[in-house]
Amino acid sequence: MARSLKKGPFVDDHLMKKVIKSKESKDNKPIKTWSRRSTITPDMLGLTFNVHNGRNFVPVYITENHIGYKLGEFAPTRTFKGHKGSVQKKIGK
């Protein structure tokens, strides 16, 4: 279910403070965050976030196409290793 337009997008306060500080100082260092639930806003354009996926930090560079999505959508938490039943069937046999 979508968030009310009246409320606006959800962004953690501590993350927004880091974004404003980074924009003011024109700093290009990645912003390290555990806040996967925060929505990407136009203020974040051109910044790089290191988003935690449970094990390590995944760098995410924010472009115009990312606006409106959540930070966690770009840092997958599970690695797909293939289906167990279809183990390398040899072609031609």
Side-chain angles (χ1 to χ4, degrees):
M1 193 160 153
R3 185 168 166 92
S4 170
L5 290 175
K6 177 177 66 174
K7 294 180 185 179
F10 174 79
V11 181
D12 275 325
D13 293 333
H14 59 87
L15 182 61
M16 203 60 196
K17 288 178 188 175
K18 290 180 183 180
V19 168
I20 292 169
K21 183 178 175 185
S22 178
K23 283 285 191 178
E24 287 175 354
S25 66
K26 307 241 192 266
D27 192 13
N28 289 337
K29 281 178 46 179
I31 298 172
K32 190 182 241 188
T33 184
W34 284 261
S35 177
R36 299 170 54 85
R37 63 187 180 170
S38 293
T39 305
I40 298 171
T41 61
D43 300 336
M44 301 176 183
L45 273 177
L47 296 177
T48 302
F49 290 91
N50 284 338
V51 183
H52 197 253
N53 71 353
R55 183 174 46 191
N56 51 20
F57 289 91
V58 178
V60 178
Y61 179 74
I62 305 299
T63 61
E64 290 182 17
N65 296 333
H66 293 119
I67 294 176
Y69 290 94
K70 306 280 187 183
L71 281 172
E73 293 183 58
F74 303 104
T77 58
R78 296 180 174 101
T79 52
F80 179 70
K81 295 180 181 174
H83 295 291
K84 199 75 165 173
S86 61
V87 180
Q88 288 94 20
K89 293 182 180 177
K90 301 270 184 178
I91 298 175
K93 289 190 176 184

